[in-house]
Amino acid sequence: MIRVLFFESGGKPTGFEISGHALFSDHGSDIVCSAVSSAAILAANTVTEVFGEPAEVKVEEGYLLFKGAKTETSQGVLQGLRLHLEQLAAQYPANITVS
């Protein structure tokens, strides 16, 4: 199962941690894992590479940590990510949890 934890400060998202595997399908063809990974990397890259905001990013097999969204714009990106992942979790409740 993929576990997603969002970090907040003052009610606004500042980061997230994603761990685990969806186990929806075989490695390399797991659409749930691909959807989560792609969305998370897009959000992290948008904040750090497009907006140029410094952030703590750690990526390992089955793990992604992102901390450092400080502006309203980058927090909006994380709000969009959370909404996207919550919708995926509603579709695949046995494979994703978001908190």
Side-chain angles (χ1 to χ4, degrees), residues 12-52:
K12 299 194 182 231
T14 58
F16 59 89
E17 180 179 51
I18 299 174
S19 62
H21 294 282
L23 304 175
F24 179 77
S25 184
D26 294 332
H27 181 75
S29 62
D30 191 326
I31 61 169
V32 177
C33 189
S34 294
V36 171
S37 297
S38 180
I41 292 168
L42 173 68
N45 284 342
T46 299
V47 172
T48 60
E49 303 303 314
V50 177
F51 299 151

Side-chain angles (χ1 to χ4, degrees), residues 77-89:
V77 171
L78 296 191
Q79 288 171 330
L81 175 64
R82 183 174 189 146
L83 177 62
H84 179 71
L85 295 178
E86 287 173 342
Q87 290 172 347
L88 282 173

Side-chain angles (χ1 to χ4, degrees), residues 43-65:
N45 284 342
T46 299
V47 172
T48 60
E49 303 303 314
V50 177
F51 299 151
E53 292 187 30
E56 176 186 350
V57 180
K58 183 177 182 180
V59 180
E60 296 176 0
E61 173 64 29
Y63 182 81
L64 192 153
L65 172 71

Side-chain angles (χ1 to χ4, degrees), residues 6-15 69-72 75 79 82:
F6 278 89
F7 308 118
E8 293 185 353
S9 177
K12 299 194 182 231
T14 58
K70 293 180 173 72
T71 67
E72 191 173 312
Q75 291 168 343
Q79 288 171 330
R82 183 174 189 146

